[in-house]
Amino acid sequence: MTTGASTPTYPARPRRSRVRTYLPLGIAAWLVLEIWLLTVVAGAASGFAVFLLLVAGFVLGSVVIKRAGRRAFQNLNEALQRGGAPSSSGSGGNGLMMLGGLLLMIPGLLSDAVGLLLLIPPVQKAVGRYAERTFDRKIRAAAPGTLGDAFQQARMQRPDGKVVQGEVIVRDEPGGDSPREQRPPLTR
């Protein structure tokens, strides 16, 4: 059912964010730099030495991820046994340790260097504080609203590209003063 209201026309496409514009270029430049650095090191030492470096980085990264994951799971278990939320002081560096381990596992010398930097506790604290400040700033700058506002209006896109606007109306079953009967939970 439509209301007869005309579909709004948009004068122009919204601008792409800078991140969406420059992220593919940054990833391509990083890959080219990683490959170039690997060839330079292979030329200076040997291909076998570079292979051993990459394997050592993969093994070290997997050990770091496993250790940080165990520590995070242990903190979560202790918090659940206490009946509260996990403390941020004990588990603050686990995410950054896992990121450092992941960067160690990715083949490349630059990613290994950044991964090793993230394993140093003062660097973890500095990056964690920066990320927390940035997150708080972005949350404060976001437009206020509730989750219910997101579901006020429904839009359906037709195959021909037109957008049909409307409202979702939930009606109770006719002739029923009692609320909808509860269904048993799924057990499978």
Side-chain angles (χ1 to χ4, degrees):
M1 182 166 123
T2 60
T3 59
S6 63
T7 304
T9 57
Y10 298 104
R13 293 177 65 193
R15 278 181 41 121
R16 288 179 69 165
S17 69
R18 287 187 181 180
V19 172
R20 286 187 60 196
T21 303
Y22 294 115
L23 185 65
L25 181 63
I27 290 174
W30 171 70
L31 287 174
V32 168
L33 191 59
E34 287 276 19
I35 292 170
W36 174 77
L37 191 58
L38 284 173
T39 57
V40 167
V41 171
S46 69
F48 187 67
V50 170
F51 176 73
L52 287 179
L53 277 173
L54 294 177
V55 169
F58 186 83
V59 170
L60 179 64
S62 63
V63 168
V64 166
I65 287 177
K66 186 176 180 179
R67 183 174 169 219
R70 276 190 181 157
R71 192 179 325 154
F73 189 71
Q74 189 175 28
N75 289 341
L76 180 64
N77 267 343
E78 290 172 2
L80 289 176
Q81 287 176 356
R82 282 190 317 243
S87 63
S88 61
S89 62
S91 64
N94 289 332
L96 290 174
M97 280 188 71
M98 286 184 194
L99 179 62
L102 180 67
L103 287 172
L104 283 171
M105 290 177 73
I106 294 174
L109 299 177
L110 286 178
S111 61
D112 288 351
V114 173
L116 286 173
L117 274 176
L118 282 177
L119 297 181
I120 301 171
V123 175
Q124 282 181 358
K125 288 180 183 178
V127 170
R129 282 192 304 257
Y130 174 75
E132 188 175 347
R133 280 194 314 260
T134 303
F135 182 74
D136 287 342
R137 187 175 63 239
K138 294 283 185 180
I139 289 294
R140 275 189 251 114
T146 63
L147 187 60
D149 294 342
F151 298 106
Q152 283 292 331
Q153 215 174 37
R155 291 186 180 187
M156 182 177 74
Q157 185 138 8
R158 295 181 9 186
D160 59 357
K162 294 181 181 175
V163 176
V164 179
Q165 290 184 335
E167 292 183 20
V168 177
I169 300 173
V170 179
R171 296 184 183 166
D172 291 335
E173 295 179 13
D177 290 336
S178 64
R180 292 185 182 181
E181 62 184 50
Q182 297 292 327
R183 295 188 176 130
L186 296 175
T187 57
R188 289 191 205 197

